[in-house]
Amino acid sequence: MEQLGIIKSNAEIRESARKQLVGRWGPAILAYFIITIIVGLPGTIPDVGFIISLLIAGPFALGQTIYSIKFKRGEQVFIENIFDGFKRFSTAFVLQFLISLFVFLWSLLLIIPGVIAYLGYSQAFYILNDNPGLTATEALNRSKEMMKGYRGKFFMLQLSFLGWGILCILTLGIGFLWLVPYMNISFANFYDNLKNAHGSF
């Protein structure tokens, strides 16, 4: 666990993720690949695809969060953990719906307010995972509070993967099998570092 008050650089966060993935790439690649396939599949279904996507987006977002944070923390993790979000279906569904709605509404003003809103809500599923008794609104509010002063840092962390993303496209998408786990474990490290540094949330 990180020491209280110590905020890591984004380079250190990515390095931590790489170390955690050593010897464990296979399970991580499989887990995130399954999530990508299942979440993307409804888009190929005419008429009802959008409704299905709307229903499963939240639970899978929570399931992915659960898998990522357990993986990062060195806990025992299984492929089936990606489905754990369905155990809290209603809260996960409402949380994803509210995030999508608020980001959309802020984006109507301009793109930048939408991005700022997204960054503010970015830790909500992690917070919900650590505090299962929270409502979706409470998780959102805690995320906004947690991200005060750190939206830019998280944005730069995400942006740091852009070059890797371009390279993955050049590999006809095969490289994303490695990039997606790397990104998700890095984001889990960002959350845990911020949480432990503040000693709250």
Side-chain angles (χ1 to χ4, degrees), residues 122-135:
S122 62
Q123 309 304 302
F125 278 104
Y126 293 104
I127 292 171
L128 181 62
N129 172 65
D130 280 343
N131 305 273
L134 293 180
T135 65

Side-chain angles (χ1 to χ4, degrees), residues 75-145:
E75 300 174 9
Q76 194 170 23
V77 62
F78 303 97
I79 294 294
E80 50 264 36
N81 289 137
I82 66 177
F83 300 101
D84 284 351
F86 286 90
K87 297 176 182 178
R88 284 178 268 168
F89 177 85
S90 58
T91 306
F93 169 78
V94 172
L95 180 54
Q96 182 62 52
F97 178 80
L98 290 177
I99 290 174
S100 299
L101 176 63
F102 292 152
V103 170
F104 171 74
L105 292 176
W106 279 107
S107 297
L108 292 178
L109 300 178
L110 278 176
I111 295 297
I112 293 179
V115 172
I116 293 174
Y118 157 72
L119 293 170
Y121 302 141
S122 62
Q123 309 304 302
F125 278 104
Y126 293 104
I127 292 171
L128 181 62
N129 172 65
D130 280 343
N131 305 273
L134 293 180
T135 65
T137 303
E138 288 170 338
L140 281 179
N141 289 334
R142 287 200 189 187
S143 179
K144 289 191 293 183
E145 184 68 25

Side-chain angles (χ1 to χ4, degrees), residues 146-164:
M146 184 182 203
M147 289 299 286
K148 285 182 179 178
Y150 296 98
R151 290 182 178 89
K153 179 178 175 62
F154 189 57
F155 178 74
M156 293 307 297
L157 177 61
Q158 293 182 310
L159 194 63
S160 69
F161 294 103
L162 179 61
W164 288 110

Side-chain angles (χ1 to χ4, degrees), residues 168-189:
C168 289
I169 292 173
L170 297 178
T171 66
L172 302 180
I174 296 175
F176 283 108
L177 291 172
W178 285 266
L179 181 59
V180 172
Y182 180 25
M183 291 175 62
N184 277 280
I185 302 305
S186 293
F187 299 156
N189 273 272

